[in-house]
Short mmCIF file of all heavy atoms in Angstrom, two decimals:
data_model
loop_
_atom_site.label_atom_id
_atom_site.label_comp_id
_atom_site.label_asym_id
_atom_site.label_seq_id
_atom_site.Cartn_x
_atom_site.Cartn_y
_atom_site.Cartn_z
N PHE A 1 -151.36 -126.42 -112.20
CA PHE A 1 -150.52 -127.45 -112.86
C PHE A 1 -150.09 -128.61 -111.98
O PHE A 1 -149.56 -129.59 -112.49
CB PHE A 1 -149.27 -126.78 -113.46
CG PHE A 1 -149.54 -125.68 -114.44
CD1 PHE A 1 -149.51 -124.36 -114.05
CD2 PHE A 1 -149.85 -125.99 -115.75
CE1 PHE A 1 -149.75 -123.33 -114.97
CE2 PHE A 1 -150.10 -124.96 -116.70
CZ PHE A 1 -150.06 -123.65 -116.29
N GLY A 2 -150.33 -128.44 -110.68
CA GLY A 2 -149.92 -129.50 -109.73
C GLY A 2 -148.59 -129.18 -109.07
O GLY A 2 -147.78 -128.39 -109.58
N ASN A 3 -148.39 -129.78 -107.91
CA ASN A 3 -147.16 -129.53 -107.11
C ASN A 3 -145.88 -129.94 -107.84
O ASN A 3 -144.91 -129.20 -107.83
CB ASN A 3 -147.23 -130.24 -105.77
CG ASN A 3 -148.19 -129.55 -104.83
OD1 ASN A 3 -148.56 -128.37 -105.03
ND2 ASN A 3 -148.62 -130.24 -103.79
N PRO A 4 -145.81 -131.15 -108.45
CA PRO A 4 -144.56 -131.53 -109.11
C PRO A 4 -144.09 -130.55 -110.15
O PRO A 4 -142.92 -130.17 -110.20
CB PRO A 4 -144.90 -132.91 -109.67
CG PRO A 4 -146.01 -133.44 -108.82
CD PRO A 4 -146.81 -132.23 -108.49
N ALA A 5 -145.02 -130.11 -111.00
CA ALA A 5 -144.64 -129.15 -112.06
C ALA A 5 -144.16 -127.83 -111.48
O ALA A 5 -143.18 -127.26 -111.95
CB ALA A 5 -145.84 -128.91 -112.99
N SER A 6 -144.83 -127.37 -110.42
CA SER A 6 -144.42 -126.10 -109.79
C SER A 6 -143.03 -126.16 -109.18
O SER A 6 -142.21 -125.25 -109.36
CB SER A 6 -145.42 -125.70 -108.71
OG SER A 6 -146.66 -125.36 -109.27
N VAL A 7 -142.75 -127.25 -108.49
CA VAL A 7 -141.41 -127.42 -107.90
C VAL A 7 -140.33 -127.48 -108.95
O VAL A 7 -139.29 -126.80 -108.89
CB VAL A 7 -141.35 -128.68 -106.98
CG1 VAL A 7 -139.93 -128.96 -106.55
CG2 VAL A 7 -142.25 -128.48 -105.76
N LEU A 8 -140.58 -128.27 -109.97
CA LEU A 8 -139.53 -128.50 -111.01
C LEU A 8 -139.32 -127.26 -111.87
O LEU A 8 -138.20 -126.94 -112.25
CB LEU A 8 -139.90 -129.70 -111.86
CG LEU A 8 -139.91 -131.04 -111.10
CD1 LEU A 8 -140.45 -132.15 -111.98
CD2 LEU A 8 -138.51 -131.39 -110.61
N VAL A 9 -140.40 -126.53 -112.17
CA VAL A 9 -140.23 -125.29 -112.93
C VAL A 9 -139.55 -124.22 -112.07
O VAL A 9 -138.78 -123.39 -112.57
CB VAL A 9 -141.60 -124.82 -113.50
CG1 VAL A 9 -141.46 -123.43 -114.14
CG2 VAL A 9 -142.09 -125.81 -114.54
N GLY A 10 -139.82 -124.24 -110.77
CA GLY A 10 -139.07 -123.35 -109.87
C GLY A 10 -137.60 -123.64 -109.93
O GLY A 10 -136.77 -122.73 -110.00
N ASP A 11 -137.24 -124.92 -110.00
CA ASP A 11 -135.83 -125.30 -110.14
C ASP A 11 -135.27 -124.79 -111.47
O ASP A 11 -134.12 -124.33 -111.53
CB ASP A 11 -135.68 -126.83 -110.08
CG ASP A 11 -135.98 -127.40 -108.71
OD1 ASP A 11 -136.03 -126.63 -107.73
OD2 ASP A 11 -136.20 -128.64 -108.62
N PHE A 12 -136.06 -124.87 -112.54
CA PHE A 12 -135.64 -124.36 -113.84
C PHE A 12 -135.34 -122.88 -113.74
O PHE A 12 -134.32 -122.40 -114.30
CB PHE A 12 -136.71 -124.63 -114.88
CG PHE A 12 -136.51 -123.84 -116.18
CD1 PHE A 12 -135.66 -124.31 -117.16
CD2 PHE A 12 -137.19 -122.65 -116.37
CE1 PHE A 12 -135.47 -123.59 -118.33
CE2 PHE A 12 -136.99 -121.93 -117.54
CZ PHE A 12 -136.14 -122.40 -118.52
N LEU A 13 -136.23 -122.11 -113.09
CA LEU A 13 -136.01 -120.67 -112.98
C LEU A 13 -134.77 -120.32 -112.20
O LEU A 13 -134.01 -119.40 -112.54
CB LEU A 13 -137.25 -119.99 -112.38
CG LEU A 13 -138.49 -119.95 -113.31
CD1 LEU A 13 -139.68 -119.43 -112.53
CD2 LEU A 13 -138.23 -119.07 -114.53
N TYR A 14 -134.52 -121.05 -111.11
CA TYR A 14 -133.28 -120.85 -110.36
C TYR A 14 -132.06 -121.09 -111.25
O TYR A 14 -131.13 -120.28 -111.30
CB TYR A 14 -133.21 -121.81 -109.17
CG TYR A 14 -133.83 -121.32 -107.89
CD1 TYR A 14 -134.75 -122.13 -107.17
CD2 TYR A 14 -133.55 -120.07 -107.36
CE1 TYR A 14 -135.32 -121.71 -106.02
CE2 TYR A 14 -134.13 -119.64 -106.19
CZ TYR A 14 -135.01 -120.44 -105.50
OH TYR A 14 -135.58 -120.03 -104.34
N SER A 15 -132.05 -122.23 -111.95
CA SER A 15 -130.86 -122.56 -112.76
C SER A 15 -130.73 -121.62 -113.94
O SER A 15 -129.61 -121.27 -114.32
CB SER A 15 -130.96 -124.03 -113.24
OG SER A 15 -132.16 -124.28 -113.90
N ARG A 16 -131.84 -121.17 -114.53
CA ARG A 16 -131.77 -120.18 -115.63
C ARG A 16 -131.21 -118.89 -115.10
O ARG A 16 -130.41 -118.23 -115.79
CB ARG A 16 -133.16 -120.01 -116.27
CG ARG A 16 -133.27 -119.00 -117.39
CD ARG A 16 -132.25 -119.19 -118.53
NE ARG A 16 -132.20 -120.53 -119.09
CZ ARG A 16 -132.94 -120.94 -120.11
NH1 ARG A 16 -133.83 -120.14 -120.68
NH2 ARG A 16 -132.81 -122.18 -120.56
N ALA A 17 -131.60 -118.47 -113.91
CA ALA A 17 -131.08 -117.24 -113.31
C ALA A 17 -129.56 -117.34 -113.16
O ALA A 17 -128.83 -116.39 -113.44
CB ALA A 17 -131.74 -116.98 -111.95
N PHE A 18 -129.08 -118.49 -112.75
CA PHE A 18 -127.63 -118.65 -112.59
C PHE A 18 -126.91 -118.66 -113.92
O PHE A 18 -125.77 -118.12 -114.05
CB PHE A 18 -127.29 -119.89 -111.75
CG PHE A 18 -127.37 -119.61 -110.27
CD1 PHE A 18 -128.58 -119.64 -109.62
CD2 PHE A 18 -126.23 -119.29 -109.57
CE1 PHE A 18 -128.67 -119.36 -108.26
CE2 PHE A 18 -126.31 -119.01 -108.20
CZ PHE A 18 -127.51 -119.03 -107.56
N GLN A 19 -127.52 -119.22 -114.97
CA GLN A 19 -126.95 -119.11 -116.32
C GLN A 19 -126.80 -117.63 -116.72
O GLN A 19 -125.77 -117.24 -117.28
CB GLN A 19 -127.84 -119.81 -117.33
CG GLN A 19 -127.79 -121.34 -117.28
CD GLN A 19 -128.72 -121.93 -118.34
OE1 GLN A 19 -129.81 -121.39 -118.62
NE2 GLN A 19 -128.34 -123.03 -118.94
N MET A 20 -127.83 -116.86 -116.44
CA MET A 20 -127.84 -115.46 -116.85
C MET A 20 -126.87 -114.64 -116.02
O MET A 20 -126.29 -113.65 -116.52
CB MET A 20 -129.27 -114.90 -116.69
CG MET A 20 -130.23 -115.49 -117.67
SD MET A 20 -131.98 -115.21 -117.25
CE MET A 20 -132.10 -113.43 -117.45
N MET A 21 -126.62 -115.00 -114.77
CA MET A 21 -125.62 -114.28 -113.94
C MET A 21 -124.26 -114.34 -114.60
O MET A 21 -123.50 -113.36 -114.51
CB MET A 21 -125.52 -114.96 -112.58
CG MET A 21 -126.54 -114.57 -111.57
SD MET A 21 -126.18 -115.49 -110.06
CE MET A 21 -127.83 -115.89 -109.52
N VAL A 22 -123.93 -115.45 -115.21
CA VAL A 22 -122.63 -115.64 -115.83
C VAL A 22 -122.41 -114.59 -116.93
O VAL A 22 -121.26 -114.14 -117.14
CB VAL A 22 -122.49 -117.06 -116.40
CG1 VAL A 22 -121.15 -117.25 -117.11
CG2 VAL A 22 -122.65 -118.08 -115.28
N ASP A 23 -123.50 -114.16 -117.55
CA ASP A 23 -123.39 -113.17 -118.66
C ASP A 23 -122.75 -111.87 -118.16
O ASP A 23 -122.13 -111.15 -118.96
CB ASP A 23 -124.77 -112.86 -119.24
CG ASP A 23 -125.37 -114.04 -119.97
OD1 ASP A 23 -124.65 -114.98 -120.24
OD2 ASP A 23 -126.60 -114.01 -120.24
N ALA A 24 -122.93 -111.57 -116.89
CA ALA A 24 -122.39 -110.29 -116.37
C ALA A 24 -120.87 -110.33 -116.26
O ALA A 24 -120.23 -109.27 -116.19
CB ALA A 24 -123.02 -109.99 -115.02
N GLN A 25 -120.29 -111.54 -116.24
CA GLN A 25 -118.83 -111.68 -116.13
C GLN A 25 -118.28 -110.87 -114.95
O GLN A 25 -117.27 -110.18 -115.08
CB GLN A 25 -118.15 -111.24 -117.42
CG GLN A 25 -118.47 -112.15 -118.62
CD GLN A 25 -117.88 -113.54 -118.49
OE1 GLN A 25 -116.65 -113.66 -118.39
NE2 GLN A 25 -118.71 -114.54 -118.48
N ASN A 26 -118.96 -110.97 -113.84
CA ASN A 26 -118.55 -110.20 -112.63
C ASN A 26 -118.71 -111.13 -111.42
O ASN A 26 -119.82 -111.42 -111.01
CB ASN A 26 -119.46 -108.97 -112.51
CG ASN A 26 -119.03 -108.04 -111.38
OD1 ASN A 26 -118.77 -108.50 -110.25
ND2 ASN A 26 -118.97 -106.75 -111.63
N MET A 27 -117.59 -111.55 -110.89
CA MET A 27 -117.62 -112.49 -109.78
C MET A 27 -118.25 -111.91 -108.54
O MET A 27 -118.91 -112.63 -107.76
CB MET A 27 -116.19 -112.95 -109.43
CG MET A 27 -115.62 -114.00 -110.38
SD MET A 27 -116.61 -115.51 -110.43
CE MET A 27 -116.36 -116.12 -108.77
N ARG A 28 -118.11 -110.61 -108.31
CA ARG A 28 -118.73 -109.96 -107.14
C ARG A 28 -120.25 -110.05 -107.22
O ARG A 28 -120.93 -110.35 -106.24
CB ARG A 28 -118.26 -108.50 -107.08
CG ARG A 28 -118.92 -107.70 -105.97
CD ARG A 28 -118.25 -107.93 -104.62
NE ARG A 28 -118.88 -107.11 -103.60
CZ ARG A 28 -119.52 -107.56 -102.55
NH1 ARG A 28 -119.63 -108.85 -102.33
NH2 ARG A 28 -120.06 -106.73 -101.67
N ILE A 29 -120.80 -109.81 -108.41
CA ILE A 29 -122.25 -109.93 -108.60
C ILE A 29 -122.71 -111.35 -108.39
O ILE A 29 -123.72 -111.63 -107.73
CB ILE A 29 -122.67 -109.39 -109.98
CG1 ILE A 29 -122.55 -107.87 -109.98
CG2 ILE A 29 -124.07 -109.83 -110.34
CD1 ILE A 29 -122.79 -107.22 -111.33
N MET A 30 -121.96 -112.28 -108.93
CA MET A 30 -122.34 -113.71 -108.74
C MET A 30 -122.30 -114.09 -107.27
O MET A 30 -123.15 -114.82 -106.78
CB MET A 30 -121.39 -114.60 -109.54
CG MET A 30 -121.63 -114.52 -111.05
SD MET A 30 -120.67 -115.73 -111.97
CE MET A 30 -121.45 -117.24 -111.44
N GLU A 31 -121.30 -113.60 -106.57
CA GLU A 31 -121.19 -113.87 -105.14
C GLU A 31 -122.40 -113.33 -104.36
O GLU A 31 -122.99 -114.04 -103.54
CB GLU A 31 -119.91 -113.22 -104.57
CG GLU A 31 -119.69 -113.44 -103.09
CD GLU A 31 -118.53 -112.63 -102.54
OE1 GLU A 31 -117.98 -111.77 -103.24
OE2 GLU A 31 -118.15 -112.87 -101.37
N VAL A 32 -122.79 -112.10 -104.65
CA VAL A 32 -123.90 -111.46 -103.96
C VAL A 32 -125.20 -112.23 -104.21
O VAL A 32 -125.96 -112.51 -103.28
CB VAL A 32 -124.06 -109.97 -104.36
CG1 VAL A 32 -125.39 -109.40 -103.89
CG2 VAL A 32 -122.89 -109.16 -103.80
N LEU A 33 -125.46 -112.54 -105.48
CA LEU A 33 -126.72 -113.24 -105.81
C LEU A 33 -126.76 -114.68 -105.35
O LEU A 33 -127.79 -115.18 -104.91
CB LEU A 33 -126.98 -113.12 -107.31
CG LEU A 33 -127.31 -111.72 -107.83
CD1 LEU A 33 -127.37 -111.70 -109.34
CD2 LEU A 33 -128.65 -111.25 -107.23
N ALA A 34 -125.59 -115.36 -105.41
CA ALA A 34 -125.53 -116.74 -104.92
C ALA A 34 -125.73 -116.77 -103.40
O ALA A 34 -126.48 -117.62 -102.89
CB ALA A 34 -124.18 -117.36 -105.29
N ASP A 35 -125.09 -115.86 -102.70
CA ASP A 35 -125.23 -115.78 -101.24
C ASP A 35 -126.71 -115.47 -100.86
O ASP A 35 -127.27 -116.07 -99.96
CB ASP A 35 -124.31 -114.71 -100.63
CG ASP A 35 -122.86 -115.16 -100.59
OD1 ASP A 35 -122.61 -116.35 -100.88
OD2 ASP A 35 -122.01 -114.31 -100.32
N ALA A 36 -127.30 -114.54 -101.62
CA ALA A 36 -128.69 -114.15 -101.33
C ALA A 36 -129.62 -115.32 -101.52
O ALA A 36 -130.50 -115.58 -100.71
CB ALA A 36 -129.10 -112.99 -102.24
N THR A 37 -129.44 -116.08 -102.61
CA THR A 37 -130.27 -117.25 -102.90
C THR A 37 -130.16 -118.27 -101.80
O THR A 37 -131.15 -118.90 -101.37
CB THR A 37 -129.89 -117.85 -104.27
OG1 THR A 37 -129.94 -116.84 -105.27
CG2 THR A 37 -130.84 -118.98 -104.65
N ASN A 38 -128.95 -118.45 -101.28
CA ASN A 38 -128.71 -119.39 -100.19
C ASN A 38 -129.40 -118.95 -98.90
O ASN A 38 -130.03 -119.75 -98.20
CB ASN A 38 -127.22 -119.60 -99.97
CG ASN A 38 -126.91 -120.76 -99.09
OD1 ASN A 38 -126.47 -120.61 -97.96
ND2 ASN A 38 -127.14 -121.97 -99.58
N VAL A 39 -129.29 -117.65 -98.61
CA VAL A 39 -129.92 -117.11 -97.40
C VAL A 39 -131.45 -117.22 -97.48
O VAL A 39 -132.13 -117.54 -96.50
CB VAL A 39 -129.51 -115.64 -97.17
CG1 VAL A 39 -130.36 -114.96 -96.09
CG2 VAL A 39 -128.03 -115.57 -96.78
N ILE A 40 -132.00 -116.98 -98.66
CA ILE A 40 -133.44 -117.11 -98.87
C ILE A 40 -133.88 -118.53 -98.56
O ILE A 40 -134.91 -118.77 -97.89
CB ILE A 40 -133.83 -116.70 -100.28
CG1 ILE A 40 -133.62 -115.20 -100.50
CG2 ILE A 40 -135.31 -117.05 -100.57
CD1 ILE A 40 -133.64 -114.75 -101.95
N ALA A 41 -133.12 -119.51 -99.07
CA ALA A 41 -133.45 -120.91 -98.81
C ALA A 41 -133.40 -121.22 -97.31
O ALA A 41 -134.28 -121.90 -96.79
CB ALA A 41 -132.50 -121.84 -99.58
N GLU A 42 -132.37 -120.68 -96.64
CA GLU A 42 -132.29 -120.87 -95.19
C GLU A 42 -133.48 -120.24 -94.50
O GLU A 42 -134.04 -120.81 -93.53
CB GLU A 42 -131.01 -120.25 -94.65
CG GLU A 42 -129.76 -121.01 -94.99
CD GLU A 42 -128.49 -120.35 -94.42
OE1 GLU A 42 -128.50 -119.11 -94.24
OE2 GLU A 42 -127.51 -121.06 -94.21
N GLY A 43 -133.91 -119.07 -94.99
CA GLY A 43 -135.08 -118.38 -94.39
C GLY A 43 -136.34 -119.19 -94.55
O GLY A 43 -137.20 -119.26 -93.66
N GLU A 44 -136.48 -119.85 -95.71
CA GLU A 44 -137.65 -120.70 -95.95
C GLU A 44 -137.66 -121.87 -94.96
O GLU A 44 -138.72 -122.22 -94.42
CB GLU A 44 -137.61 -121.24 -97.37
CG GLU A 44 -137.75 -120.21 -98.46
CD GLU A 44 -139.18 -119.70 -98.62
OE1 GLU A 44 -140.04 -120.13 -97.85
OE2 GLU A 44 -139.40 -118.86 -99.50
N VAL A 45 -136.50 -122.47 -94.73
CA VAL A 45 -136.41 -123.60 -93.79
C VAL A 45 -136.67 -123.12 -92.37
O VAL A 45 -137.38 -123.78 -91.61
CB VAL A 45 -135.03 -124.28 -93.88
CG1 VAL A 45 -134.93 -125.40 -92.83
CG2 VAL A 45 -134.83 -124.90 -95.28
#
């Protein structure tokens, strides 16, 4: 599909994941997953 589509759809999946996290109504779970996502990004860099 090309690089632009892959990057932007990756962004969609990240943001959809965060929408779904809210459904759990659990701040501890949101904290763990948000921290993990940030650490993964740091690892990529």
Side-chain angles (χ1 to χ4, degrees):
F1 301 99
N3 287 342
S6 291
V7 170
L8 295 173
V9 172
D11 292 344
F12 166 82
L13 288 173
Y14 272 131
S15 54
R16 178 52 52 89
F18 276 82
Q19 285 180 325
M20 293 165 66
M21 278 180 220
V22 177
D23 293 345
Q25 294 293 299
N26 185 313
M27 283 300 295
R28 176 81 177 117
I29 286 174
M30 288 188 68
E31 179 188 11
V32 167
L33 290 172
D35 287 350
T37 306
N38 192 250
V39 168
I40 292 165
E42 288 180 333
E44 295 285 3
V45 176

